[in-house]
Amino acid sequence: MDRRLVHALQVDGRAPFSTIAAALGVSDRTIARRYTRLRSTGALRVLGGIDPTALGGAVLWLVRVRCAPSASVAVAEALARRPDTSWVSLTSGGTEITCTVRTESDADSEALLLARLPRTPRVEGVSAHSVLHSFYGGPDNLIAKLGPLDAETVSALSPPPLPHRPGPVRLDDGDRRLLAALAADGRTGTEQLAKVTGWSPTTVRRRMTELRERGVLYLDIDCDGRLLGIGTRTLLWLSVAPPHLEEAGRALAGHPEVAFAAATTGPTNLYATVVCPDQRALYRYLTTRVAALPAVTHVETAPVIRTVKQAANRL
């Protein structure tokens, strides 16, 4: 039932408990009780995610920081405290930190990537890869691939699709307060959001819809991977011949092991986060599915040994 609840919230993170209960064939009280238990233990959170590409000048970076082993934990924890980072992880035996960083301008990128990080004591090197195109990730969650609900139940839970309204979005202070509250808890009630923003509940609902239509806001699930039998993460850095990059990226996005895939700048041009139950399964994945990708000339694997921060970027 816990796994079914997690999958239901991935389909619609703000669905009323009554709607979820009806779709899963249990009582409202059962759903409320299980959600409260999972939420209180940190096993499950609904988060308001932010897509920086919808904000015009914002850029999402994949940053690799090489450190002396004795300094890696301290540097990783310092990065985790920054509001513009997410998925701060220790890899490569603890000598490298990998994280995603959202910068809102070229000046922000320069300040962090060229000035601050390289001058941090015990940091031996920094490389930054700008995300050019996401093949899988953001509102697309690994739970959608691994969740136990059948297609009929997913359809019953799915909210009506929102129209897409392209174009950069300008945020005011009320928007920032709204997004910060949702980043902390994506199920925060409308009345509480109204108090946080100083808006009326009607304005809150309207603005949330607008931000989702613009692609700025989406709902994400942060859950204990053990609920779905998810093993440890491994980061893949691949080089693909440019004529085949789109084909390879789309194929990678369809793999059930892939939680995130994107085309990037840098010495490699395709990145993926993959999840396998164990080392044997990872070996099979690399020698079958990855080996079958078109025009791959190089693959680097970096097992994640510790995740220091997982929460989505906040504004």
Side-chain angles (χ1 to χ4, degrees):
M1 182 55 67
D2 287 345
R3 291 193 291 272
R4 298 177 73 205
L5 172 57
V6 169
H7 195 178
L9 288 170
Q10 186 276 325
V11 177
D12 184 359
R14 291 182 64 85
F17 289 151
S18 58
T19 300
I20 296 174
L24 302 188
V26 296
S27 68
D28 299 10
R29 179 176 295 182
T30 296
I31 295 300
R33 184 179 67 250
R34 286 180 175 264
Y35 174 79
T36 300
R37 175 176 55 80
L38 293 171
R39 182 74 172 85
S40 63
T41 59
L44 172 65
R45 291 190 300 165
V46 179
L47 305 174
I50 300 164
D51 183 350
T53 61
L55 298 175
V59 178
L60 187 64
W61 297 88
L62 297 169
V63 179
R64 306 178 74 176
V65 183
R66 294 179 299 282
C67 295
S70 60
S72 59
V73 173
V75 174
E77 290 175 344
L79 284 168
R81 288 192 292 269
R82 295 179 59 94
D84 54 359
T85 63
S86 65
W87 290 105
V88 181
S89 303
L90 292 171
T91 64
S92 304
T95 60
E96 182 172 284
I97 302 161
T98 304
C99 65
T100 62
V101 179
R102 176 194 47 77
T103 59
E104 294 197 50
S105 66
D106 291 340
D108 289 343
S109 300
E110 181 178 354
L112 176 65
L113 304 177
L114 299 181
R116 296 177 191 168
L117 273 177
R119 296 177 185 175
T120 303
R122 310 303 298 277
V123 168
E124 299 175 348
V126 178
S127 62
H129 308 249
S130 173
V131 173
L132 301 176
H133 176 74
S134 177
F135 294 105
Y136 194 85
D140 300 316
N141 192 291
L142 188 63
I143 297 167
K145 297 178 178 180
L146 303 180
L149 299 183
D150 58 30
E152 183 179 354
T153 305
V154 169
S155 178
L157 287 165
S158 298
L162 293 172
H164 177 60
R165 299 168 60 190
V169 178
R170 292 186 179 274
L171 303 178
D172 60 24
D173 289 342
D175 291 324
R176 293 176 184 275
R177 289 191 292 269
L178 173 67
L179 292 171
L182 291 170
D185 183 358
R187 289 187 63 86
T188 302
T190 302
E191 295 292 339
Q192 187 175 345
L193 292 173
K195 293 179 181 178
V196 169
T197 59
W199 298 337
S200 69
T202 300
T203 300
V204 167
R205 285 188 287 268
R206 176 180 55 79
R207 189 55 175 159
M208 284 180 62
T209 299
E210 290 174 350
L211 291 173
R212 295 184 72 178
E213 289 176 348
R214 293 285 188 177
V216 175
L217 172 66
Y218 62 90
L219 294 176
D220 198 6
I221 298 294
D222 175 12
C223 79
D224 187 332
R226 290 173 294 184
L227 285 172
L228 295 171
I230 296 174
T232 57
R233 293 187 300 129
T234 300
L235 313 184
L236 301 185
W237 306 87
L238 303 94
S239 296
V240 181
H244 299 276
L245 181 58
E246 177 75 13
E247 180 186 359
R250 289 183 177 276
L252 200 62
H255 293 176
E257 298 87 353
V258 171
F260 179 79
T264 72
T265 61
T268 58
N269 58 358
L270 185 59
Y271 166 86
T273 302
V274 304
V275 179
C276 295
D278 51 37
Q279 294 294 91
R280 184 175 298 179
L282 175 62
Y283 175 77
R284 287 197 301 270
Y285 174 67
L286 293 173
T287 55
T288 55
R289 292 182 183 275
V290 173
L293 293 173
V296 174
T297 59
H298 170 81
V299 179
E300 178 185 353
T301 61
V304 173
I305 62 173
R306 178 182 169 189
T307 299
V308 181
K309 181 182 181 180
Q310 186 167 321
N313 291 312
R314 301 182 185 184
L315 292 175

